[in-house]
Amino acid sequence: MSLPAIAVAQTPENKFREYLASRPKPQRFTEQQRELLEHVFARHSHFDVEQLIENLKFAGKHVSRATVYRTLSKLVDAGLLRRIELGSRTVFDHDYGYPAHDHMVCEECGQMIEFQSGALDAVIREVVGQQQFRPNGHSLVIRGVCAECNAARAAKRRLVM
């Protein structure tokens, strides 16, 4: 399930420019940062650094590896992206312009499935309320095996019998 974009007050570029200008020592918005930001927000997909670098090269964008790492960190700090830790792999996901959601990750094929749950949100609100805790957000990743991989396993077992 892919979640639809939601209306936001600013474009990702304007929000990022605002973030850079608000730093104790204001930072400039570079052409490489613009190309990276444009590429990342042109589609909603999860990606790791190596995938992003490869996709940028394939798209003919010239963004250095160091700029990719630095800019991704700034995009997370600016609230545009969020990091999702999957063991030794770090994946990035849009945090701006998309509704709050969680993920299921297939340990067989690596597919990431986005989902929303009002019931889960209610439980989280209840728990943080009980603890008088002010959350800034949360990240839930459920690991397991997706329907397609489960079906393939079942078919393989039938063939063996």
Side-chain angles (χ1 to χ4, degrees), residues 28-45:
R28 66 185 187 90
F29 183 63
T30 67
E31 181 61 23
Q32 285 189 0
Q33 289 172 333
R34 188 194 60 71
E35 285 190 359
L36 189 147
L37 186 69
E38 182 179 279
H39 184 82
V40 166
F41 280 91
R43 67 200 59 73
H44 180 75
S45 61

Side-chain angles (χ1 to χ4, degrees), residues 114-134:
E114 299 177 327
F115 71 95
Q116 292 177 295
S117 170
L120 180 59
D121 292 341
V123 168
I124 291 170
R125 280 192 305 276
E126 179 184 340
V127 169
V128 298
Q130 289 170 351
Q131 300 298 317
Q132 298 178 353
F133 186 82
R134 284 188 44 209

Side-chain angles (χ1 to χ4, degrees), residues 34-147:
R34 188 194 60 71
E35 285 190 359
L36 189 147
L37 186 69
E38 182 179 279
H39 184 82
V40 166
F41 280 91
R43 67 200 59 73
H44 180 75
S45 61
H46 305 95
F47 59 89
D48 64 24
V49 172
E50 294 306 318
Q51 289 171 321
L52 177 59
I53 290 170
E54 189 64 32
N55 289 342
L56 287 166
K57 284 181 187 174
F58 185 75
K61 309 281 186 188
H62 302 288
V63 181
S64 74
R65 180 175 289 275
T67 297
V68 169
Y69 276 96
R70 280 192 306 269
T71 303
L72 286 175
S73 182
K74 290 175 184 178
L75 290 171
V76 169
D77 291 345
L80 291 164
L81 295 178
R82 69 173 158 160
R83 279 185 189 92
I84 302 171
E85 303 296 332
L86 302 173
S88 63
R89 183 173 176 233
T90 300
V91 175
F92 294 87
D93 186 23
H94 293 172
D95 203 23
Y96 183 72
Y98 290 87
H101 61 278
D102 296 296
H103 299 87
M104 293 179 277
V105 177
C106 179
E107 294 176 322
E108 297 277 324
C109 68
Q111 176 184 351
M112 289 188 76
I113 303 164
E114 299 177 327
F115 71 95
Q116 292 177 295
S117 170
L120 180 59
D121 292 341
V123 168
I124 291 170
R125 280 192 305 276
E126 179 184 340
V127 169
V128 298
Q130 289 170 351
Q131 300 298 317
Q132 298 178 353
F133 186 82
R134 284 188 44 209
N136 293 327
H138 77 274
S139 179
L140 173 66
V141 177
I142 301 171
R143 291 167 182 76
V145 181
C146 71

Side-chain angles (χ1 to χ4, degrees), residues 1-17:
M1 170 177 121
S2 185
L3 302 173
I6 57 175
V8 291
Q10 301 179 67
T11 65
E13 181 178 323
N14 287 341
K15 184 167 172 62
F16 189 55
R17 284 177 180 271

